[in-house]
DNA sequence: ACAATTTCGAGAGCACTGCTCTTGACTTCG
DNA sequence: CGAAGTCAAGAGCAGTGCTCTCGAAATTGT
């Protein structure tokens, strides 16, 4: 009935946490492919079959790590946005964009887990899609604030047809004052962020834009220009 | 000395091709993770160890598939660009961008192989970086033609410092008339393309911008606007 | 307080993986 | 013809995810 349940339950929560911790360590060391249940259990001093009491399959363990990663990046972005709240739209935009990249550079394998190619044969279950929206929602929130402040640019051709409906659907759910054209811009920028970070992390910029710090910062500012955020 | 060498050499070339074909089939069916040398050899009616006469390791086979994929997407883009050559800059831009997406949708696993997260523990060897530049080079070529025709927009803040040098380096090597600001735009667009395609392929657009045809087409046109290509 | 139930770790085992090494047969070339 | 080079096959190693069973322990119901 109380917070500290039975000894068994506390032990179970503790071990579940330790398993995820060790799994994350292995993830960082050798990637999703190298995540081995046997190695995790070995490191924890237990036998491999015992792990299945905590995660019914390797995929379930992966799912747990994915959800944690989405939450981590979401929380980081929300914190960055909060801390830049008083400094204007452009500062918030910068902070949230750089929060994503910083987290990605710090945790490349976890980033790859959520924004890279999916582990083949693994289908992301429903539980992952709610945490996945947390980061983009911060971006959209800035645009929403910009819209109510009259600082959101709207000089692009209005999307038509099905696209207009899709964009309106997003607005209705998350940012009622952001018009479809701006929402399309936002989605494009969001794509571009992951594209740039992916290129940087996965080595596509080798010999050209690597190190990519300056390119990223420059591009983030151009996005802010594009959205009409005041300098 | 002549084109048809010894029977042995012809047999070897033939088998090498067949191995890659079967490997690509398995890749399409179950992804890079599911690519099993044993399964390939089984399908080809040979024993697994025999495969090592042709590819010294699984990674070498992957590398061969990666190079082939880069070449395939590069060739597709060059063809699209050629066929749209008479229709103006915007038509060429559209054609080349859609060529990438079409190829990606047709070969999602091969696309993931080259633009997704790298297979952990696998380091892309030098041989892959030349074919990798083939596609972006087509994009840059359009910008170069636009620049000489005086149709390349240049109304963004000029990049400074290290970034300016990096961009200039790309221009020097591939497109002497494209100024740094435009080259930065181009790199951003190139990032955005892979970002959008990645989102579409890897399911990040589920429930929002999926199907993504219209969003992609709309965004590609906004990029052309941004580059100043005449309608 | 004692019995019934649930939870847990351990171990054996299955079918699979990439990869190495050795063996014997075949082809090519001097 | 015979030496040199090439090839497929087979056995074997160390590793994987996962299942099943078994006995011990903790929890729960009476």
């Amino acid at each position: 009935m109380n917070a500290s349940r039975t000894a068994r339950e506390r032990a179970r929560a503790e071990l579940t946490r330790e398993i995820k911790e060790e799994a994350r360590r292995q993830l960082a060391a050798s990637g999703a492919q190298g995540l081995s249940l046997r190695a995790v259990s070995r490191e924890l001093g237990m036998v491999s079959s015992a792990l299945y009491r905590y995660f019914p399959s390797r995929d379930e363990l992966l799912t747990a790590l994915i959800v944690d990663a989405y939450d981590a990046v979401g929380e980081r972005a929300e914190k960055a946005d909060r801390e830049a709240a008083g400094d204007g739209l452009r500062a918030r935009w910068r902070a949230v964009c750089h929060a994503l990249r910083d987290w990605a550079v710090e945790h490349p394998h976890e980033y790859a887990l959520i924004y890279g190619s999916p582990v083949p044969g693994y289908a992301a279950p429903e539980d992952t899609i709610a945490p996945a929206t947390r980061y983009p929602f911060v971006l959209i929130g800035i645009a929403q604030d910009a819209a109510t402040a009259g600082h959101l640019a709207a000089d692009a051709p209005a999307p038509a047809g099905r696209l207009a409906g899709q964009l309106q659907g997003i607005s209705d759910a998350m940012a009622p004052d952001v018009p479809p054209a701006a929402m399309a811009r936002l989605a494009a920028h969001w794509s571009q962020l992951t594209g740039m970070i992916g290129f940087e992390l996965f080595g596509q910029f080798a010999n050209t834009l690597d190190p990519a710090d300056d390119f990223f910062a420059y591009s983030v500012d151009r996005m802010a220009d594009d959205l009409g955020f005041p300098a």
Side-chain angles (χ1 to χ4, degrees), chain A:
Chain A
M1 218 61 87
N2 50 4
S4 73
R5 292 298 309 264
T6 69
R8 219 205 285 267
E9 280 191 16
R10 272 187 294 111
R12 185 181 179 85
E14 175 79 6
L15 238 178
T16 304
R17 206 179 44 75
E18 278 182 31
I19 291 172
K20 288 202 290 184
E21 247 174 42
E22 176 58 33
R24 238 185 308 268
R25 235 190 314 275
Q26 292 205 10
L27 201 71
S30 31
Q33 194 129 279
L35 201 171
S36 148
L37 290 193
R38 288 184 121 109
V40 169
S41 64
R42 212 180 300 127
E43 212 64 29
L44 261 49
M46 59 204 304
V47 92
S48 73
S49 57
L51 237 158
Y52 286 82
R53 300 266 179 207
Y54 297 85
F55 295 94
S57 74
R58 202 188 98 114
D59 281 6
E60 295 271 352
L61 213 198
L62 265 183
T63 299
L65 296 181
I66 288 173
V67 170
D68 283 3
Y70 274 128
D71 274 332
V73 68
E75 192 176 316
R76 183 92 153 235
E78 286 162 12
K79 179 161 170 283
D81 188 35
R82 256 195 324 268
E83 290 176 355
D87 304 334
L89 294 165
R90 184 175 291 260
R92 288 172 65 192
W93 179 263
R94 277 194 191 128
V96 172
C97 289
H98 281 92
L100 178 64
R101 174 170 177 265
D102 291 346
W103 188 88
V105 170
E106 287 167 32
H107 310 91
H109 284 107
E110 288 181 73
Y111 180 87
L113 196 60
I114 55 180
Y115 293 119
S117 25
V119 184
Y122 167 86
E126 285 292 322
D127 336 12
T128 63
I129 96 167
T133 61
R134 210 166 144 184
Y135 180 86
F137 184 69
V138 179
L139 250 32
I140 293 176
I142 300 177
Q144 165 68 14
D145 290 352
T148 59
H151 280 130
L152 194 62
D155 56 336
R162 184 174 52 180
L163 176 59
Q166 292 172 330
L167 294 166
Q168 192 60 55
I170 305 177
S171 292
D172 290 346
M174 309 201 215
D177 298 319
V178 176
M183 190 57 83
R185 272 174 141 87
L186 216 50
H189 293 334
W190 167 222
S191 305
Q192 190 185 324
L193 282 177
T194 59
M196 291 191 297
I197 295 174
F199 274 173
E200 178 180 2
L201 251 48
F202 307 153
Q204 216 85 16
F205 277 160
N207 300 328
T208 51
L209 290 172
D210 188 58
D213 307 61
D214 296 346
F215 173 64
F216 188 82
Y218 178 85
S219 297
V220 164
D221 261 48
R222 295 294 77 70
M223 296 184 209
D225 292 348
D226 190 52
L227 291 167
F229 294 166

